[in-house]
Amino acid sequence: MNRVVTFHYTLRDPAGRVLDTSAGGEPITYLEGGGQIIEGLDEQLRTTAAGAKARVHVPAAKAYGERDAAQVQRVKRAMLPVEGELKAGETFQAGEDRYAPVVTVLAVEGDEVTLDANHPLAG
């Protein structure tokens, strides 16, 4: 039996810093088992009673995956679909296709840019 689930959340990194929260805003609503939230969170919420507060740890393999060094590449600046100056930490979609990956600029060195296509929460 699939249920519609609504919850508030606070996402923290391993050091305890808040990365995102629904506090003060709208809760998340999803269909249990529908693939609308990360697998590990869906699995753990299935055993949480309605109205209960829970601290949940989701391993990378059941969330955004492990970091993959092959997803970090150096490319020529001229190959990128972005106008203007690029700075470390900026993100952009690597192509016009809506399924093109979103990449993060790690470094800009002369006419080369180091990009990371890993999900920001991977690992």
Side-chain angles (χ1 to χ4, degrees):
M1 174 176 98
N2 290 342
R3 300 177 294 176
V4 173
V5 179
T6 300
F7 69 98
H8 277 284
Y9 70 93
T10 298
L11 174 65
R12 296 178 186 276
D13 68 10
R17 291 183 300 256
V18 174
L19 300 176
D20 193 16
T21 185
S22 64
E26 293 296 315
I28 299 294
T29 299
Y30 72 99
L31 177 63
E32 184 178 85
Q36 297 169 327
I37 64 171
I38 58 174
E39 176 187 3
L41 181 58
D42 190 354
E43 289 174 357
Q44 293 196 36
L45 290 177
R46 288 177 192 213
T47 61
T48 303
K53 265 190 160 182
R55 183 174 293 258
V56 174
H57 172 78
V58 179
K62 292 203 172 194
Y64 299 100
E66 298 293 344
R67 290 197 51 75
D68 179 1
Q71 295 295 317
V72 177
Q73 298 182 6
R74 286 181 78 150
V75 297
K76 294 286 184 191
R77 171 64 176 97
M79 294 177 59
L80 303 179
V82 178
E83 298 294 325
E85 185 180 351
L86 284 174
K87 296 179 184 169
E90 292 182 331
T91 61
F92 62 91
Q93 193 157 15
E96 293 180 20
D97 179 329
R98 69 181 188 149
Y99 298 107
V102 173
V103 297
T104 301
V105 176
L106 296 182
V108 179
E109 298 165 356
D111 67 343
E112 291 192 331
V113 179
T114 304
L115 301 175
D116 185 352
N118 284 288
H119 187 283
L121 298 177

